[in-house]
Each structure stands twice: as C-alpha cells, then as structure tokens.
Amino acid sequence: MPTKHKKLLAWVEEIRQMVKPDQVVWADGTKEEYDRLMDEMVESGLAVRLNDSKRPNSFLFRSDPSDVARVEDRTYIASRTQDAAGPTNNWIDPVELKATMRELYDGCMRGRTMFVIPFSMGPIGSPIAKVGIEITDSPYVVVNMHIMTRVGQAVLDTLGEDGQFIPCLHSVGKPLGPGESDNGQWPCAPIEQKYIAHFPEENLIWSYGSGYGGNALLGKKCLALRIASALARREGWMAEHMLILRLTNPEGKQFHIAAAFPSACGKTNLAMLIPTVEGWNCECIGDDIAWMKIGPDGTLRAINPEAGFFGVAPGTSYKSNPMAMDTIVKNSIFTNCVLTDDGDIWWEDMNVDIDHGIDWKGNEWTPKSGTPGAHPNARFTTPAAQCPIICDDWEDPAGVPIDIFIFGGRRTKVMPLVHESFDWDHGVFMGATAASEPTAAALDVKKKLRRDPMAMLPFCGYNIGDYWQHWFEMGDKLGDKAPKIFYVNWFRKNDQGKFIWPGFGENSRILKWMCERVDGTAEAIETSIGMMPQIKDIDISGLDMSEKELEEILEVDNNAFISEFDDLDSFISSVADRLPKRMEDQIKLYKERMKK
Ligand code: SAT
Ligand code: MN
C-alpha cells in the first residue's frame, strides 16, 4: 500500500467490497503508468494512437453516442433538506439515493480494474489546494486525470496519515461477465441509470454510468465547483466557474481578470487571447475554474485548481485560438473528433480542409456527408504547462490579485457589447441574472434562453439564494479592494444572422477599456443597465466594422429588457424566501431605471 492513511485505506476497502473489481491499482501519476494504460487502450481498440510525426504522444477516443456531454437531468445535490439544494438543483434524499446507487454499484466493477487516483486540485501542498481521491474503473479517466490534475505519490505524502481528502467514487456502470470484454466499445450505462451525485454535507461524490468529461473526471465540475462552492461558503472563500488571465498594459502595469461564461461560450478562447491592441500583453492562468480567497493584503487572490485544459474542440482554430492550437500539438487526448486519413485529428471550423476521414461515430465521413464529423461537444485534454502563453505565476500558491470580474453569455439580441456595474451589489445582480442561449455542453437543455447565474447554474452545490448572499458578503469583506464588475456579450447578430462584433483577439479592445476604468482613465456614461462606453471610447480602427454597427451593439433598448421582466420574475420567484433582501432591492432599482 502506498499510504498508511487509515481512513483512506478503510474507504478503499469498503468500496472494493461493494464494487468487486478483478484487481485494485493505485495510480502513481507517472509517465510509465500513462504509457502503459494508453498502450492497453490502443490494444483493446478503445483508443487510436495518432500519427507520431503529426501529433506526438496523442490519442483519439470515441465515446458512445449516448455519452457525449454532461447530463444535467441526472446530476443531483443530495443535501439533507431540499431547501439546502435550492431551486436550481435536482435534489434527492441522500439516504434514498445512496440505497439506489449502492444497488447499482454492487458488483459494478466485475471484470475490471479498480483504480485509486490520489489527486490535488491546486499545486500540491498549497494552502488553497484540496486533495481528492477518485476511485474509477475507467483507464480513460485515469489518463485524463493525469493531465487535468496533479496525480500521484506526492499527493499521498502531503495527506500523511490523517489529512483530509474528498472521496470521489466513479464507475462507468458496465460490469463484464467472465471472458467478456468491451470490444473497443466505450463502456457506459443507459441514461436512466446514470447518476452524478453530490453529498455536500459529507464532501462526497458518487458518479455512476457515464465516462464523459465532467461526469467522470470528478476533480473538475463535481469537486472544484459543486462540492467546493459549498465548502467555500462555509469557509468564506469563492469557487467560481471562471477563467483567469493577466493583462499587462504598455507601461507594464498588470491587471488580473476572472470571467464567468456558461460552458462552450468561448472561455478558453478568451483565456488565451492575443491582444490586437498595441503594446498590451495577455497571459493565461486558467480557462475554467477559479478558487479565490482574500489574501493577507486584503485583495482577492485567485488560483486555477486544474493542471490542464478540457476544451471544446469544434471552432478551435488558428484564427479563433492560436494558443490553444499550439498547446494541443502533443501529449494530448482528443475525444469525439474526426480521424484524418494521415492519422491526425480534425473538427468543424478548424480552418483546415479535408475531404475524407472517420467521424466521431467511427464511420467513413466526407464534408458532403451532411452530418458533423466531430461531435459539437468534442473535446481536447491538454497540459496547461504546454500553453505558449501560460503565465509564469500560474502555479503560485498565493494566487493572483483579481481586479476585474466579467460575466456574460451568448445573446444574439438585446444585451449590448459591454457594461459596467454601478457598484458591487449591482454587479452581483448582473451576474445573478445573466442569461444565455444554450450550447452543446449539456445534453438536455431545451430552453431558448436560460438564466445562468454567474455561469454556475449547473455547478452551484447549494441554494442559489444563499450563494448570492455569499457574494454580497464577500463584497462587504473586500470593501474598496473588491474587483470591478462588468458584463459582456460578444455574440450579437445583425438581421442577416451575422455576428457584428469580430470577437477573439479583438475582445482586447473591450478589456483595455475595463482596465482603464479600473485606473480611472476611461470615460463611461450612465445608462439604465449600468455604465457604458460611448462610441468614441472604443477604438475600432482597423476593424471591418462601421461606427453604425458599433452603435447598434452599444444600444440599450429599455423596451427589450422590459419585455423580459416576466422571465426575470419567474426565475427570481423560484428562489422564494431565500432571496437576499439586497437582491430584491437591486431588482426594484433595475425596474425603476427601465421605466424612466
Ligand atoms: O463539464 S465538462 O467538464 O464536461 C465541460 C463543460 O461543460 O464545461
Ligand atoms: Mn466549464
């Protein structure tokens, strides 16, 4: 045994007896382990080794068509009371859920290896980091965890004999009979047997039936967001669905930005932005999750708890995100992408032409096939350290001081390009009422417009009303050191259905305005939704865009917002008696401003 931690050993033994694997293997996080597991998966037909001269040490996996994204309908917060989970979560009684899941787990690893993965979210040993132990029967999960987290003996060493860890149990939910194998098929359970379960009061995660992404790599959404958000509230810090980046202006002054957008709204692209504005520089710290604590100097300090990027592949190109393209050149895992005839990967909007390949379902494919070659939620898993613009301080255990929060979503109409909150409370309101048109990252979102508070709708592990209250209170604690809060929408379309704002690197023009607002050097005018730049405040020189178009996306149409009052009210009323008084005040003020 690689550890003397009694509680850990007891938990591993308890699970072993329940799931009845053929063998137990403790993951050590080494390259030898990674290579061995990859060799086995290639051998068994689950993985394809890509052409080494094109993409060294990289692999392609194809999942089951029923297992391609997070399943929000099957994701549960099993707190003792329904009220603790609140209106935005699926709640089940924890006792009942455990009974149901124990039955599923009973013997579920027959014919398989049970891996025990000690992992750290955050640099090993950092005071902000947390240790998790994932038990899984998926070697695909093990190799992904190698990239996405810090895995191995060093984690067990920091844990010592009685350190705290978060137990994360995962099974693909497909036991094998004697002599049976997966035959190269992605193993998973049918949808009605999938459970992604969180027990926030026990810091416990139980996942069953899915092998994909956030359903199975339990360090990410399950631990670093759902469990951590509940922990953070109890302990007075923040676990947010935010990228982290550093911008440096021509004078060398640094600004740190944390930005929250729903899944698949371009967070990874923004995190690796190459500014088009002269003299400004951007470095990436994280692309998905920020853990933030108030530091000794009173500023809000952020770390990226992850070690890799699990990014949406389709749409990633040298135009949209050259730094991601240069990150995934080697040592990467691709899931549900097209396999090209020369043994490389491809996806839609990669800006590369191919005329034939094997699609994500394993079928012959050409651009004329009439179906997407890559699944819209196809992903790459790649080490953060390989990103050419990864910030030197990205693993600094003390974190970076956040100056700016950005909220946003995908709206083709109504929401203008950018606005700034009047104050902290107003900024909390802006984040809380953020709305977006759904993307491919969740299988089961059918609504046209979904309110996605702070982009945490599927990730807040407790009552959303209490979460907003926690935000208000963090503002009180931060006082004049609180970050400024902005809201952006890069996705406005014109009447021909074309995006008006060019986006990508050009977003730096907007970030620059924000930094100058922090410095007090840029102007803004007061509107009904917040402080906004005027046309003259945004430099569009060199852009293929007219002043008239800029005017269109900076317009605030009160009537359009008023027409969404009903939607806002029904969302807010779901929070019922957990609605913070300060949020009520903000809504009143907002409506008054709209009707002026
Ligand atoms: O939750 S995943 O990690 O699968 C991806 C996402 O939705 O952002
Ligand atoms: Mn995300």
Side-chain angles (χ1 to χ4, degrees), residues 119-179:
F119 66 96
S120 176
M121 299 309 289
I124 295 176
S126 149
I128 314 185
K130 301 265 179 214
V131 169
I133 308 286
E134 177 160 353
I135 290 181
T136 181
D137 52 6
S138 163
Y140 169 82
V141 165
V142 181
V143 289
N144 274 272
M145 290 294 281
H146 269 228
I147 297 177
M148 294 306 297
T149 73
R150 287 120 177 136
V151 170
Q153 188 62 42
V155 178
L156 291 175
D157 293 345
T158 50
L159 207 52
E161 293 189 17
D162 56 6
Q164 289 222 357
F165 67 93
I166 299 170
C168 309
L169 172 57
H170 170 252
S171 172
V172 295
K174 197 159 194 306
L176 296 168

Side-chain angles (χ1 to χ4, degrees), residues 70 213-214 220-221 241 263 288 310 379 441 459:
R70 284 183 291 106
K220 197 175 185 49
K221 308 298 189 183
H241 190 205
S263 298
D288 197 38
F310 184 65
R379 297 272 171 163
F459 307 124

Side-chain angles (χ1 to χ4, degrees), residues 6-16 114 116 133-135 165-169 204-206:
K6 284 207 187 68
K7 229 176 127 186
L8 171 54
L9 291 169
W11 178 63
V12 169
E13 177 54 19
E14 178 200 326
I15 300 303
R16 188 191 67 79
M114 169 174 135
V116 184
I133 308 286
E134 177 160 353
I135 290 181
F165 67 93
I166 299 170
C168 309
L169 172 57
L204 174 68
I205 300 163
W206 276 10

Side-chain angles (χ1 to χ4, degrees), residues 122-300:
I124 295 176
S126 149
I128 314 185
K130 301 265 179 214
V131 169
I133 308 286
E134 177 160 353
I135 290 181
T136 181
D137 52 6
S138 163
Y140 169 82
V141 165
V142 181
V143 289
N144 274 272
M145 290 294 281
H146 269 228
I147 297 177
M148 294 306 297
T149 73
R150 287 120 177 136
V151 170
Q153 188 62 42
V155 178
L156 291 175
D157 293 345
T158 50
L159 207 52
E161 293 189 17
D162 56 6
Q164 289 222 357
F165 67 93
I166 299 170
C168 309
L169 172 57
H170 170 252
S171 172
V172 295
K174 197 159 194 306
L176 296 168
E180 192 190 347
S181 87
D182 287 323
N183 262 325
Q185 298 293 303
W186 176 274
C188 62
I191 184 82
E192 67 282 0
Q193 279 178 20
K194 286 181 169 57
Y195 287 92
I196 321 298
H198 308 74
F199 304 88
E201 287 125 352
E202 291 175 69
N203 287 340
L204 174 68
I205 300 163
W206 276 10
S207 167
Y208 186 91
S210 167
Y212 202 89
N215 300 333
L217 312 176
L218 302 186
K220 197 175 185 49
K221 308 298 189 183
C222 297
L223 192 162
L225 288 176
R226 297 195 191 96
I227 293 294
S229 62
L231 256 175
R233 173 178 170 237
R234 296 199 288 271
E235 298 175 357
W237 52 284
M238 305 170 92
E240 300 296 330
H241 190 205
M242 291 178 169
L243 67 87
I244 311 167
L245 66 82
R246 170 184 290 168
L247 268 190
T248 308
N249 75 10
E251 289 73 50
K253 182 169 178 192
Q254 296 180 345
F255 301 85
H256 294 96
I257 299 182
F261 304 106
S263 298
C265 282
K267 276 216 312 299
T268 305
N269 293 350
L270 187 61
M272 299 177 195
L273 162 113
I274 297 184
T276 52
V277 278
E278 274 275 319
W280 287 67
N281 186 49
C282 174
E283 293 161 273
C284 174
I285 295 164
D287 81 327
D288 197 38
I289 298 175
W291 281 0
M292 294 172 283
K293 287 190 180 166
I294 299 177
D297 61 355
T299 61
L300 189 62

Side-chain angles (χ1 to χ4, degrees), residues 46-61:
L46 197 64
V48 177
R49 182 186 297 277
L50 298 176
N51 183 338
D52 225 56
S53 67
K54 301 246 162 213
R55 222 165 279 268
N57 191 33
S58 297
F59 299 85
L60 172 69
F61 289 80

